[in-house]
Amino acid sequence: RRLMPIFGLTVERLLKMGIEPFEILLPAVDHLRDEIEQMSRSWLIKPTLVFGEEAKLAAFRTARAALAASGTVTLELALSGVPMVVAYQVSFFEGQLRHVIRVPSIVLPNLILDRNVIPEHIQGECNPVQLANSLLPLLTSGPERNDQIAAFEELDQRMATGTQSPSELAANIIASLMNR
């Protein structure tokens, strides 16, 4: 609800910056279909809503770039090799937690890679101008796009579990820590 209007204005801003018309694929959950359709009616480019895990992953495979809300989707996009910009906006009171919790990023791939390769725009920085300015270089070939793609290959290697399932690997790590 907080990001849909900002994302719509970001699309408008990109078009005003001279980006060729593009298609927007918006993975969504079925129970929010009506709300998302209503909130995107004013967008200059109407998004195509996609539902279900298979359709979401198919959308990721065709995406040139993504504008994503912070969350697990950022890890899914990174592992799919989709360059992205991350946006996040919470209430004023929730935003005050940043003074208590000290992390270098709110983006999971950035935390795993231990460097900020994905631009993140939080609270006041989460606006159409900054989002469009960060997205623009990802839509064309260039260093920002190439840097993210290279970082995602590294992320894929770091996330590899070898022959173990992720749960087995996690259990083994916890067991070794407990044995210390």
Side-chain angles (χ1 to χ4, degrees), residues 119-141:
E120 55 190 272
H121 297 280
I122 306 166
Q123 297 301 81
E125 293 178 12
C126 180
N127 63 68
V129 171
Q130 290 191 33
L131 292 172
N133 288 342
S134 290
L135 268 170
L136 185 62
L138 301 180
L139 295 170
T140 59
S141 296

Side-chain angles (χ1 to χ4, degrees), residues 3-72:
L3 293 175
M4 284 288 291
I6 295 167
F7 284 9
L9 292 171
T10 302
V11 168
E12 187 174 321
R13 179 95 179 150
L14 284 168
L15 290 170
K16 288 179 180 176
M17 294 169 85
I19 295 296
E20 295 292 320
F22 48 89
E23 182 181 11
I24 300 171
L25 300 175
L26 179 56
V29 290
D30 210 29
H31 72 276
L32 294 177
R33 177 189 301 259
D34 293 340
E35 187 174 357
I36 293 169
E37 286 175 348
Q38 180 184 0
M39 293 183 82
S40 63
R41 278 197 185 110
S42 64
W43 289 21
L44 293 181
I45 298 175
K46 304 298 180 268
T48 299
L49 301 184
V50 294
F51 298 93
E53 191 69 15
E54 190 174 313
K56 176 181 73 173
L57 294 176
F60 289 176
R61 284 191 296 276
T62 64
R64 176 86 181 154
L67 175 57
S70 180
T72 55

Side-chain angles (χ1 to χ4, degrees), residues 107-175:
V107 179
L108 291 172
N110 286 348
L111 292 170
I112 294 166
L113 291 165
D114 200 26
R115 64 184 189 279
N116 290 350
V117 296
I118 301 167
E120 55 190 272
H121 297 280
I122 306 166
Q123 297 301 81
E125 293 178 12
C126 180
N127 63 68
V129 171
Q130 290 191 33
L131 292 172
N133 288 342
S134 290
L135 268 170
L136 185 62
L138 301 180
L139 295 170
T140 59
S141 296
E144 292 92 343
R145 179 178 176 75
N146 295 339
D147 289 349
Q148 280 198 34
I149 291 170
F152 296 161
E153 290 171 7
E154 179 186 337
L155 176 74
D156 195 42
Q157 292 169 3
R158 286 190 183 196
M159 297 289 294
T161 62
T163 59
Q164 294 180 302
S165 71
S167 56
E168 287 173 323
L169 181 60
N172 288 338
I173 291 170
I174 291 168

